[in-house]
């Protein structure tokens, strides 16, 4: 099974680059953050507080989610709602719950194995979900560029807060996996970065 892991902070270019790599290699593309956002949306809708780990773990286990070009929660297309500010504000706390992570990591592995491989992007793909991935990439970009890329759907304060929570949580924080190749995407074209990643494949 061929897995390419692409991790990095908000606005590092993960989604754009991972989609383009998947297109080049003809592999399925999976945005693992969508799974965390689905659980966060379900929690917001049901009024479950981020400080209730048991309820959130039960929710992550119970909900039906389909992840693809469109994303569904219990059969309803929620793709557009996943970017809502209230989901963005809840998602880091939801993603810090150990039980939620265990269940979503299980779903991510299943998703890739059912499809015979994937280009998967997130925060812990190379470090936790697929430690044996064929290639692990950690994308970065300057703070200014990251804020510019995300300014349409997230304020600089929300972005900084989410980064801080994602990097300092106790379970699977955002870290550079030991054998990951770090690529700074500041000022570089998507094609250029994709060329560099594809050249890493044996
Ligand atoms: O990639 P994104 O910004 O849509 O991810 C939303 C949140 O989900 C992010 O703030 C942290 C969490 N996340 C995670 O903890 N682990 C992943 N593999 C992907 C996302």
């Amino acid at each position: 099974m061929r897995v390419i892991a692409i991790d990095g902070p908000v606005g590092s270019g993960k989604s754009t680059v991972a989609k383009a790599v998947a297109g080049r290699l003809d592999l399925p593309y999976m945005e693992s953050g969508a799974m965390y956002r689905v659980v966060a949306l379900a929690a917001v809708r049901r009024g479950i507080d981020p400080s209730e780990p048991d309820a959130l773990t039960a929710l992550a286990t119970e909900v039906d989610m389909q992840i693809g070009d469109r994303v569904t929660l219990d059969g309803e297309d929620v793709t557009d709602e996943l970017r809502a500010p209230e989901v963005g504000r809840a998602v880091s706390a939801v993603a810090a719950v150990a039980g939620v992570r265990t269940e979503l990591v299980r779903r991510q592995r299943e998703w890739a194995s059912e499809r015979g491989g994937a280009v998967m992007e997130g925060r812990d793909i190379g470090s936790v979900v697929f430690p044996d991935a064929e290639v692990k990439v950690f994308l970065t970009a300057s703070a200014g560029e990251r804020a510019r890329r995300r300014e349409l759907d997230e304020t600089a304060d929300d972005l900084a807060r989410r980064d801080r929570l994602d990097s300092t949580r106790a379970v699977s924080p955002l870290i550079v996996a030991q054998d990951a190749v770090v690529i700074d995407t500041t000022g570089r074209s998507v094609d250029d970065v994709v060329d560099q990643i594809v050249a890493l494949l044996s």
Side-chain angles (χ1 to χ4, degrees):
M1 177 165 92
R2 174 167 252 197
V3 175
I4 316 292
I6 301 189
D7 292 300
V10 186
S12 58
K14 291 188 304 292
S15 303
T16 311
V17 168
K19 261 183 227 163
V21 171
R24 279 264 196 112
L25 301 175
D26 199 21
L27 280 173
Y29 158 73
M30 140 76 93
E31 182 192 349
S32 63
M35 286 197 177
Y36 291 93
R37 287 175 181 272
V38 166
V39 177
L41 173 63
V44 168
R45 284 183 172 182
R46 295 184 199 189
I48 300 174
D49 195 80
S51 64
E52 297 177 70
D54 292 345
L56 290 170
T57 301
L59 189 63
T61 311
E62 282 160 23
V63 291
D64 173 72
M65 58 174 94
Q66 302 298 326
I67 310 291
D69 286 345
R70 308 294 297 176
V71 176
T72 66
L73 162 61
D74 291 329
E76 176 193 346
D77 187 332
V78 293
T79 316
D80 300 331
E81 274 180 82
L82 297 184
R83 296 279 151 201
E86 62 268 30
V87 174
R89 280 191 290 269
V91 71
S92 287
V94 169
V97 175
V100 170
R101 302 202 70 83
T102 303
E103 170 59 16
L104 296 189
V105 167
R106 187 194 67 72
R107 291 187 191 233
Q108 287 153 23
R109 289 181 179 147
E110 184 179 76
W111 193 97
S113 79
E114 280 172 1
R115 289 160 179 80
V119 177
M120 194 171 286
E121 59 112 324
R123 304 293 190 290
D124 62 343
I125 307 305
S127 56
V128 175
V129 184
F130 287 108
D132 297 328
E134 190 174 338
V135 167
K136 300 180 189 179
V137 174
F138 191 94
L139 296 183
T140 63
S142 70
E145 179 128 347
R146 292 170 50 220
R148 252 195 316 281
R149 287 174 184 166
R150 292 305 290 257
E151 68 191 346
L152 288 179
D153 55 11
E154 198 163 24
T155 67
D157 281 354
D158 281 349
L159 186 153
R161 180 179 157 277
R162 200 146 69 86
D163 262 356
R164 196 176 58 249
L165 292 171
D166 293 343
S167 304
T168 57
R169 68 181 175 225
V171 196
S172 311
L174 172 69
I175 49 157
V176 184
Q178 229 180 357
D179 41 359
V181 177
V182 179
I183 301 177
D184 187 339
T185 63
T186 311
R188 292 183 61 186
S189 74
V190 176
D191 267 352
D192 189 25
V193 175
V194 173
D195 284 344
Q196 185 180 349
I197 295 173
V198 171
L200 296 169
L201 293 163
S202 41

